[in-house]
Amino acid sequence: MIQIKNKKIILFDGVCNLCNDAVNFIIKHDKNTCFLFASLQSDAAKEILLQFPSKKNDLSTILYFDDGTVYEKSTAIFQIIRILNPPVSWLYVFIFVPKFIRDSMYKYVVKNRYQWFRKKSSCLVPNSSIEDRFLI
């Protein structure tokens, strides 16, 4: 069983180009290598989600696990941003926008992400320089 204690794990839609670009952005701005990643289509994600019966494997949302606490949708994004290096981390100030507004915008993007950004035929395959950051 994958242990999530003392870890920061991001589960993302592995065939979504926008999601893959977001993962690459996070890696680039995560100089302290805080985050681990797994596509929602992976066995690792399924194993992690077994520890959270209330969270289903929903490809329409990002899930962020921080030491056993789970965040989703816009809150997950802002909790991730908070840890990234400045000036990206300064965007965390927008967490104060009411959640219903943030999540409405999030849902709109998610609904259109394949149309706007297309999708891959298979999940992201990390190169050797970052493969240790991915749970398979």
Side-chain angles (χ1 to χ4, degrees):
M1 168 124 358
I2 295 174
Q3 295 299 317
I4 59 169
K5 276 272 193 224
N6 302 316
K7 293 183 182 169
K8 298 176 183 319
I9 301 171
I10 299 171
L11 302 184
F12 66 99
D13 180 355
V15 298
C16 168
N17 283 329
L18 174 63
C19 303
N20 283 298
D21 289 346
V23 167
N24 288 326
F25 180 87
I26 292 166
I27 290 169
K28 179 179 177 184
H29 295 279
D30 178 24
K31 301 298 183 201
N32 295 323
T33 61
C34 296
F35 298 105
L36 296 173
F37 304 90
S39 81
L40 284 161
Q41 294 89 344
S42 71
D43 290 337
K46 292 174 184 134
E47 189 175 323
I48 290 167
L49 290 171
L50 286 174
Q51 300 174 53
F52 294 87
S54 65
K55 299 294 174 198
K56 59 182 192 261
N57 195 349
D58 179 4
L59 297 180
S60 69
T61 189
I62 184 173
L63 294 173
Y64 170 52
F65 299 84
D66 185 358
D67 193 24
T69 302
V70 61
Y71 301 96
E72 61 185 342
K73 299 179 181 146
S74 66
T75 304
I77 291 170
F78 282 108
Q79 290 299 324
I80 293 164
I81 285 172
R82 179 178 63 85
I83 296 168
L84 297 177
N85 297 334
V88 176
S89 62
W90 300 342
L91 294 172
Y92 182 72
V93 71
F94 291 106
I95 193 76
F96 296 109
V97 172
K99 186 176 183 331
F100 78 93
I101 294 172
R102 289 185 283 118
D103 280 352
S104 293
M105 292 171 55
Y106 177 88
K107 289 175 187 176
Y108 181 73
V109 171
V110 165
K111 180 181 171 187
N112 294 290
R113 73 188 188 278
Y114 293 145
Q115 181 181 358
W116 295 342
F117 301 98
R118 305 286 177 228
K119 65 191 255 188
K120 298 180 182 297
S121 58
S122 62
C123 290
L124 170 72
V125 178
N127 63 40
S128 60
S129 66
I130 60 170
E131 68 184 353
D132 59 328
R133 310 249 336 248
F134 286 81
L135 305 172
I136 311 256

